Amino acid sequence: MPPIILMNDPRVVDIPVHECGEPLVDLRQLPFVDVDERLADQAGAYAQLREGVAWRLARAARLLPEGLRLLVTEGYRPLSLQIKYFEDYAAELRCAHPHWSDEHLHRQTSRSLSPPEVGPHVAGAAVDVTLCTAAGSELDLGTPVNASPEESDGACYTDAARVSAAARRNRRTLSAALATAGLVNYPTEWWHWSYGDRYWAYATSAPTARYGPMTYGVLANGSL
């Protein structure tokens, strides 16, 4: 396997963003897509994605085998929450590995969480998604969504070998639909897929990203 490129890699961070100005849309209005409320916020930001990403997600849902649906756990994530997640995980790793350099700590934290300044969720460009039946029962994909490498012993990696045959099949089913619809996976997290962000640009050799950081309803530069 080729080495995994992490979110903090300069080849990702240095990709320019040419903001296209697409609005966020509510995923709860999409057919064949269920939105889980485990990370729900009062404003409903968790259920939002950029229009172009949402359109591709809806297409992926239609590509699934009969009886299966996409189950979204989180879309857009406010910058303040991304910062909190990143800093909390970094603090957890620092406690377990006090000898790590700051650079190595930043890299290891970036396995599971994007640096806030790069974050695809902060741009409304990324979605955390799994599979469920039409009745709403989640399928086995090997680990819970958002499992860290430490708590899953590396099984959260998309191509991890130590998952059951059923989980591997379900990951292939999910990946086939989302990749065909134009989304790319962050290979340390089987559930994380994106379109239009810097990581997507790197993975597809696009010269620029389409989506930059935004606050809920407003782009980071104050316009929409």
Side-chain angles (χ1 to χ4, degrees), residues 38 64-65 67-71 130-145 166-167 169-171 173-174 190:
R38 71 189 74 175
L64 290 174
L68 294 184
R69 297 172 65 92
L70 295 178
L71 179 64
T130 185
L131 292 172
C132 68
T133 66
S137 298
E138 283 190 53
L139 272 61
D140 174 21
L141 277 89
T143 74
V145 172
R169 285 195 302 270
N170 290 335
R171 289 187 186 190
T173 297
L174 180 69
W190 59 261

Side-chain angles (χ1 to χ4, degrees), residues 1-58:
M1 289 177 58
I4 291 174
I5 303 301
L6 297 179
M7 287 282 186
N8 72 323
D9 192 292
R11 287 170 286 184
V12 177
V13 176
D14 293 344
I15 292 175
V17 177
H18 286 183
E19 175 58 57
C20 68
E22 272 183 15
L24 294 168
V25 298
D26 196 322
L27 298 178
R28 292 169 291 190
Q29 307 304 317
L30 293 183
F32 311 115
V33 175
D34 294 339
V35 180
D36 187 274
E37 295 187 351
R38 71 189 74 175
L39 295 175
D41 59 286
Q42 189 172 7
Y46 78 106
Q48 309 290 316
L49 275 182
R50 294 288 190 127
E51 189 173 41
V53 190
W55 180 87
R56 285 166 176 80
L57 194 67

Side-chain angles (χ1 to χ4, degrees), residues 5 11-12 15-16 182-184 195-210:
I5 303 301
R11 287 170 286 184
V12 177
I15 292 175
L183 286 85
V184 301
Y195 170 84
D197 62 304
R198 286 186 175 98
Y199 203 84
W200 164 86
Y202 171 79
T204 62
S205 299
T208 64
R210 294 173 49 85

Side-chain angles (χ1 to χ4, degrees), residues 173-191:
T173 297
L174 180 69
S175 296
L178 292 164
T180 300
L183 286 85
V184 301
N185 174 242
Y186 190 44
T188 68
E189 300 177 335
W190 59 261
W191 58 86

Side-chain angles (χ1 to χ4, degrees), residues 116-155:
E117 66 276 11
V118 186
H121 282 286
V122 177
V127 61
D128 292 340
V129 60
T130 185
L131 292 172
C132 68
T133 66
S137 298
E138 283 190 53
L139 272 61
D140 174 21
L141 277 89
T143 74
V145 172
N146 292 331
S148 71
E150 289 75 26
E151 63 192 2
S152 69
D153 195 22

